[in-house]
């Protein structure tokens, strides 16, 4: 068995994750923020590993 | 003169061209689809993540390996390349953060008992699996079975660590300390130079030169990390996204997160209800895995390496170390990416404390790895 098998499993994992995500949450490009946070004037609101709960 | 091997060579060249063309097409399609259905910012973040994966795998730039090389063989070049990259990012990030507070945020977090202990455990665990936050994702994407097995437990550990985070931080934390503005930048540069000088002094004289590929990788990573900050408004991170994936799985199975101060917080709940294709760290994590896969598949014979054979105890050790990587990195407010790379480059004092504690843990990890059956004993 080679890495082709395990690398394929990794990609299958990603595909499953995205399919599961799309089954449980919907995308709406019309509510998307501006392309760049820099210069947008909006406060940064993404999740980050250094942040305490907000 | 006739060449009997010419048709075979031509067929192989065509096969390689078709394979690589297909990989490029797949990446561009993925970026376009995310941009179209989620928004331009999210498409660009996926592109940044793919860039991270391609740069790390393509140029063999890592974090765990160079630390091991310094500890076991006194080879400082890999860590010097890491410091170079951090220095480049800090030169842009620290002044920008001072000029655009709110719009851009750094990787600032408090130093505390759990943070220090978490970094120590992370440093040890990353040497056991020879993969850090970014490294585990890149390893999984390139078909390394250790990275692939560690990944889901890393995600579960990250979820569990965040679940208990407040209990741990209540053990004692200092206020957040940040090196900001031009003064903060100069202090950061001085600390990076001092660290580099110390590594050069401790390193073997014949191993001090940074290879060209690592210099190129350091510059590429820095450019991508700056792009991450400008697009997302926050620095490059890894472990939040992994914990989010596990949290989504937990709630889909009927799990209740109301008992966790972290996962039940309004801001976190909003992210939890949204798509991972609108979460920055999830997008760069997906990009890291996919970018590493594409790079390995791009190389001729890149995925033909035979899988290693380890005793069952070694695989159990990978599972435990994977969980500990996730759990400890939440207590430490980040892994080698979120705390070390992004913490230091955005002026957070906790990044420096993380570095010292994790490096101390790495000494333990390099000794544990052969004992756990993941390499031959010396």
């Amino acid at each position: 068995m080679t890495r082709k098998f395990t690398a394929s499993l990794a990609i299958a994992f990603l595909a499953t994750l995205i399919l599961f995500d799309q089954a449980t949450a919907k995308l709406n490009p019309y509510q998307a923020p501006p392309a760049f946070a820099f210069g947008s004037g909006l406060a940064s609101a993404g999740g980050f590993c250094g942040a305490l709960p907000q | 003169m006739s060449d009997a091997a010419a048709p075979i060579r031509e067929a192989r060249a065509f096969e390689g061209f078709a394979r690589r063309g297909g990989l490029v097409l797949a990446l561009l399609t993925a970026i376009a689809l995310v941009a179209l259905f989620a928004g331009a910012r999210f498409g660009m973040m996926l592109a940044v993540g793919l860039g991270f994966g391609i740069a790390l795998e393509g140029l063999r730039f890592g974090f765990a390996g160079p630390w091991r090389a310094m500890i076991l063989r006194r080879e400082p070049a890999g860590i010097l390349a890491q410091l170079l990259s951090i220095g480049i990012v800090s030169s842009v990030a620290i002044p920008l953060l001072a000029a655009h507070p709110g719009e851009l945020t750094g990787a600032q977090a408090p130093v505390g008992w759990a943070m220090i202990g978490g970094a120590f455990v992370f440093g040890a665990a990353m040497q056991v699996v020879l993969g850090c936050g970014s490294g585990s994702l890149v390893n999984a994407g390139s078909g390394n079975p250790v990275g692939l097995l560690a990944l889901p437990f890393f995600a579960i550990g990250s979820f569990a660590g965040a679940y208990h985070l407040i209990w741990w931080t209540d053990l004692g934390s200092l206020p957040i300390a940040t090196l900001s503005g031009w003064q903060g930048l100069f202090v950061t540069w001085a600390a990076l130079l001092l660290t580099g000088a110390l590594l050069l002094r401790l390193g073997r004289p014949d191993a001090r030169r940074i290879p060209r590929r690592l210099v190129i990788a350091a510059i590429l990573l820095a450019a991508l990390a700056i792009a991450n900050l400008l697009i997302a408004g926050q620095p490059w991170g890894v472990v939040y996204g992994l914990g989010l994936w596990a949290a989504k799985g937990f709630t889909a199975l009927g799990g209740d997160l109301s008992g966790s101060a972290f996962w039940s917080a309004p801001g976190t709940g909003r992210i939890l209800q949204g798509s991972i294709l609108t979460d920055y760290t999830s997008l760069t994590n997906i990009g890291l895995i996919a970018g590493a896969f594409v790079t390995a598949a791009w190389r001729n014979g890149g995925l033909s390496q035979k899988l290693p054979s380890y005793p069952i105890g070694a695989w159990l050790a990978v599972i435990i170390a994977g969980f500990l990587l996730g759990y400890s990195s939440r207590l430490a407010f980040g892994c080698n990416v979120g705390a070390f790379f992004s913490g230091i480059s955005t002026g957070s004092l906790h990044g420096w404390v993380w570095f010292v504690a994790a490096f101390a843990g790495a000494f333990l990890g390099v000794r544990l790895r052969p004992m756990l059956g993941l390499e031959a004993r010396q």
Side-chain angles (χ1 to χ4, degrees):
Chain A
M1 204 179 287
T2 66
R3 283 191 172 207
K4 194 175 278 185
F5 173 70
T6 40
S8 301
L9 282 182
I11 295 304
F13 166 73
L14 281 188
T16 308
L17 178 72
I18 292 167
L19 284 174
F20 161 73
D21 175 67
Q22 288 308 294
T24 55
K26 292 287 168 252
L27 292 170
N28 186 350
Y30 299 105
Q31 289 181 341
F36 286 89
F38 179 68
S40 68
L42 301 174
S44 172
F48 189 73
C49 45
L52 285 162
Q54 297 164 2
Chain B
M1 192 173 72
S2 66
D3 184 354
I8 298 170
R9 276 204 307 274
E10 282 174 11
R12 281 188 183 156
F14 178 76
E15 185 270 329
F17 178 77
R19 186 183 73 239
R20 290 172 177 176
L23 290 169
V24 171
L25 192 65
L27 290 192
L28 293 177
T29 304
I31 293 167
L33 285 175
V34 172
L36 196 63
F37 290 104
R41 183 184 292 195
F42 305 114
M44 290 197 294
M45 285 305 295
L46 178 62
V48 167
L50 288 165
F52 280 130
I54 292 167
L56 289 170
E57 173 65 17
L59 294 163
R60 304 276 188 212
F61 188 101
F63 290 85
W67 287 27
R68 176 183 167 86
M70 183 65 200
I71 291 167
L72 291 179
R73 301 188 298 277
R74 290 170 51 220
E75 293 172 2
I79 309 183
L80 291 173
Q82 294 166 11
L83 298 180
L84 171 66
S85 195
I86 291 170
I88 296 170
V89 179
S90 70
S91 307
V92 178
I94 293 178
L96 275 183
L97 288 166
H100 296 265
E103 200 175 78
L104 305 179
T105 54
Q108 277 97 36
V111 174
W113 293 116
M115 185 253 124
I116 295 169
F120 180 88
V121 172
F122 186 91
M126 89 172 187
Q127 289 302 326
V128 169
V129 300
L130 263 186
C132 48
S134 53
S136 294
L137 297 169
V138 167
N139 288 344
S142 62
N144 179 329
V146 171
L148 185 66
L149 180 63
L151 184 58
F153 297 96
F154 196 146
I156 293 167
S158 174
F159 163 66
Y163 195 100
H164 302 135
L165 182 63
I166 301 304
W167 185 88
W168 285 101
T169 53
D170 282 349
L171 294 177
S173 296
L174 296 170
I176 294 174
T178 308
L179 302 166
S180 61
W182 291 107
Q183 200 177 8
L185 178 59
F186 292 137
V187 173
T188 301
W189 279 348
L192 287 169
L193 286 172
L194 278 173
T195 309
L198 179 65
L199 289 166
L200 285 170
R201 174 129 180 95
L202 295 172
R204 264 188 9 244
D206 63 328
R208 287 173 176 164
R209 197 173 150 274
I210 308 176
R212 194 159 160 252
R213 81 179 155 84
L214 291 185
V215 174
I216 294 169
I219 295 167
L220 281 175
L221 277 191
L224 289 163
I226 292 165
N228 194 123
L229 179 65
L230 296 177
I231 297 166
Q234 64 183 50
W236 179 25
V238 170
V239 295
Y240 182 90
L242 293 177
L244 181 66
W245 299 355
K248 277 181 163 283
F250 183 76
T251 51
L253 292 171
D256 178 17
L257 293 173
S258 61
S260 166
F262 184 90
W263 290 112
S264 63
T268 314
R270 183 180 46 78
I271 295 170
L272 199 53
Q273 284 173 358
S275 165
I276 59 168
L277 298 179
T278 59
D279 173 61
Y280 305 126
T281 54
S282 292
L283 284 165
T284 46
N285 287 351
I286 291 168
L288 276 162
I289 297 172
F293 172 81
V294 164
T295 309
W298 183 279
R299 294 189 190 111
N300 288 325
L303 293 173
S304 59
Q305 197 178 328
K306 283 200 168 177
L307 299 182
S309 175
Y310 294 121
I312 188 76
W315 293 112
L316 286 173
V318 169
I319 289 171
I320 295 166
F323 179 85
L324 287 176
L325 279 171
Y327 197 94
S328 62
S329 57
R330 287 316 320 244
L331 309 194
F333 295 108
C335 60
N336 58 296
V337 172
F340 173 55
F341 189 97
S342 295
I344 293 176
S345 64
T346 59
S348 179
L349 183 68
H350 101 288
W352 285 105
V353 177
W354 189 99
F355 181 33
V356 173
F359 205 81
F363 275 87
L364 173 66
V366 294
R367 278 151 189 80
L368 282 175
R369 190 173 155 83
M371 290 164 66
L372 295 169
L374 283 157
E375 64 182 72
R377 292 189 192 217
Q378 299 288 318

